[in-house]
């Protein structure tokens, strides 16, 4: 592959497969309608993933006994990437914090290693994640602010 970056790599992979080059770029949006840049884009995902490693910080110390290892930092990256893909499937060229939240269980459930105590108490990673995600504030992004965003801008 000749170029760095996800979009460029998508174009190169299409060419290698003999397909018409194509790529999709989508972004998370601030509530003022501007695109979030990498630090803001990752912050929401990082807070979610960090809480799996340290549930005490979000007021869920009782879950610590059930988690042997929380999700790794790589989960944050994959949360954002899958949120962008989900936004595209939903017909948007930008991802919303809700897209990140909607992908959270699928991205993190296999990344949280449960303790033997969790297994003996029949506690699932989904149950733990739902409790953790309920404690992470979701950034509010009004949909009406995106009506003037042009495709291919």
């Amino acid at each position: 592959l000749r170029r760095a970056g996800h979009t460029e790599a998508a174009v190169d992979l299409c060419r290698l497969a003999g397909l018409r080059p194509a790529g999709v770029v989508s972004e998370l949006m601030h509530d003022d309608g501007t695109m979030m840049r990498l630090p803001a884009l990752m912050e929401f995902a990082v807070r979610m993933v960090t809480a799996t490693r340290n549930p005490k910080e979000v007021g869920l110390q009782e879950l610590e006994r059930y988690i042997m290892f929380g999700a790794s930092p790589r989960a944050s990256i994959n949360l954002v990437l899958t949120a962008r893909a989900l936004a595209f499937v939903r017909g948007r060229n930008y991802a919303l914090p809700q897209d990140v939240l909607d992908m959270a269980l699928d991205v993190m459930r296999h990344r949280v290693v449960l303790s033997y105590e969790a297994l003996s108490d029949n506690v699932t990673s989904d149950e733990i994640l739902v409790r953790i995600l309920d404690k992470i504030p979701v950034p509010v992004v009004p949909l009406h602010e995106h009506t003037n965003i042009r495709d291919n801008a």
Side-chain angles (χ1 to χ4, degrees):
L1 301 179
R2 297 175 298 172
R3 298 174 282 180
H6 292 95
T7 305
E8 292 87 356
V11 170
D12 287 343
L13 287 172
C14 286
R15 284 195 176 116
L16 286 173
L19 302 172
R20 191 177 121 237
V24 174
V25 178
S26 61
E27 292 289 338
L28 288 175
M29 308 297 287
H30 286 290
D31 58 1
D32 66 0
T34 60
M35 282 192 281
M36 291 183 182
R37 295 293 169 218
L38 189 58
L41 181 76
M42 295 294 288
E43 184 180 335
F44 181 48
V46 167
R47 279 187 281 141
M48 291 167 48
V49 171
T50 301
T52 68
R53 292 193 303 274
N54 201 350
K56 188 179 194 177
E57 285 186 12
V58 293
L60 294 170
Q61 53 273 12
E62 69 274 10
L63 293 184
E64 287 186 331
R65 64 190 177 121
Y66 290 137
I67 302 171
M68 186 175 293
F69 299 106
S72 73
R74 198 168 53 181
S76 302
I77 295 166
N78 287 307
L79 275 171
V80 173
L81 292 175
T82 57
R84 288 176 172 172
L86 183 60
F88 175 72
V89 169
R90 291 177 170 169
R92 286 184 270 108
N93 64 348
Y94 57 90
L96 297 170
Q98 186 62 45
D99 297 319
V100 176
L101 191 59
D102 290 345
M103 294 308 304
L105 293 179
D106 291 327
V107 170
M108 292 194 295
R109 81 170 41 100
H110 69 282
R111 290 182 161 95
V112 174
V113 179
L114 301 180
S115 68
Y116 291 113
E117 190 170 355
L119 299 174
S120 68
D121 289 349
N122 291 319
V123 176
T124 67
S125 58
D126 279 12
E127 291 169 335
I128 290 171
L129 288 169
V130 166
R131 292 202 45 208
I132 290 171
L133 296 175
D134 284 343
K135 293 288 191 171
I136 307 298
V138 178
V140 177
V141 182
L143 292 177
H144 70 278
E145 303 234 359
H146 301 290
T147 58
N148 62 359
I149 295 175
R150 297 179 303 144
D151 289 342
N152 302 320

